[in-house]
Amino acid sequence: MNENSKLWDVSKLIKNDDGSIILSTQRINGIDPVENVVVKLIQNGAVDNSFGLNGYQVLDVTIDNGLAAKKQNDGKLVFFGGQNNSKIIRLLPNGQFDSTFGISGEVLLPSTDSDFNFNNNTLVFQNDKILIIERKSGMSTKSIFRYNNDGTLDTTFGVNGVVENINSDNIFIDTFNNIVGVSGYSSKYTVEKFDPNGYAISAFGNNGVLKVNIPFVFAEIISAYMDNQNRIIVSSGDVTTLNQTSVFRINSDGTIDNSFSYSFSTVNHAIFPILQQNTGYYLAGAKLDSQYESTNVFLARVAENGSIDTSFTQNGYYVESNANLKSAESIIYNSDGSIILSGEYNDGVSNKIFVAKYIVSNLATNEIEKNELQVQNPFKNELKIRSKEEIKSLELYDLQGKVILKSFGNLLDTSYLNKGLFILKTVTISGKVFINKVIKN
């Protein structure tokens, strides 16, 4: 599943198949200013004491803005961040440091200057490789580093494992295994594209770089999310005052997607985490007061075209009644229809992190008939799957057994494929696997 976060997130959520969650956050321990910790919570929200040391694992990283945090397909947990010399840290599923990775589970990046931006799009997986984006010491632009599964630098990538002079703040891996980066400032955004080995795709934009002027005002990108059609949904605004908030979508070719229009203004709000579910998106963040301060958690669902989905709750959006829950920083969706958020808690005395579970009884999902899985067959330019259970991944194979397309949702963009017979592998969130022969007309 693709994940995202805003520029200064402190908390990150990771979903496990058994309904438990991993929370990466910070705490004050009375000795150091802040301590980066990872905690595992079981389904009812209690701490799983079998994880790490009594449910917690402390990461030896100095950074005030939180770490990027993701889970590999094998269940291992990867974290990235740090002030000045950044680190990649990998834990086993039980919370212990992975001794097969780097030195005792840690890899220290060579000579980097942190810009304190460790949103979840600074860390991505490319098959069994780990890609991170960071600034080298003395450079104004950023670099992409690729590491092998054992923590060694992959020297087959770019030049000796590094691609330099990157402008992007967010990187993604699209369904073609290409690397896509995006950044945006002062009403202009930039998309960069590289092939799987880190070489610029010269046919895209100007030697792999496309710069686009936006016909509305924004200061910079706050959060970004790549959906299962390689489109990037962007929340933008002023990261200091949170005003001029807007949400727009970028097509896979880098152009503005004019079919998407988000213009909700009933509640003054800012959008931070974004998550695709079926054909729509959940947008979470904060309700804002007249001074653009976060006052309450805000959650909305929009249709694929960006319009508010009024079949979600009563009005298509929800404002948290508990004013201590100020803003959402991370979001996950469960197959039972519940949503879990983490974010800022402030009771007027101290700042904390909350984790809250919301039961949504009126979700905007397509009605699924009695069949457990429905496959669009034959298909044309897209292959859509409908299932009673949330879909974890789709893989399309040719008849020689080679994977040619992959998606972490219920839709594959097949517009580039020739007509023919293919094998589709569908994996649900509970681990069920379905194999189907499908035909493109």
Side-chain angles (χ1 to χ4, degrees), residues 324-377:
N324 293 335
L325 277 61
K326 297 298 184 183
S327 65
E329 297 176 336
S330 187
I331 179 173
I332 58 178
Y333 176 86
N334 293 316
S335 57
D336 63 1
S338 63
I339 294 171
I340 298 179
L341 300 176
S342 70
E344 178 192 357
Y345 177 99
N346 190 324
D347 58 6
V349 178
S350 60
N351 283 320
K352 302 177 182 179
I353 294 296
F354 76 85
V355 179
K357 183 176 183 179
Y358 295 87
I359 305 299
V360 183
S361 59
N362 191 18
L363 289 175
T365 56
N366 294 325
E367 182 180 354
I368 303 299
E369 299 175 2
K370 292 183 179 180
N371 293 335
E372 198 165 11
L373 189 78
Q374 296 178 5
V375 179
Q376 179 185 350
N377 194 20

Side-chain angles (χ1 to χ4, degrees), residues 8-25:
W8 59 93
D9 280 352
V10 171
S11 64
K12 310 290 196 316
L13 292 171
I14 298 173
K15 180 170 66 171
N16 291 323
D17 292 343
D18 63 359
S20 64
I21 59 174
I22 303 295
L23 172 68
S24 172
T25 186

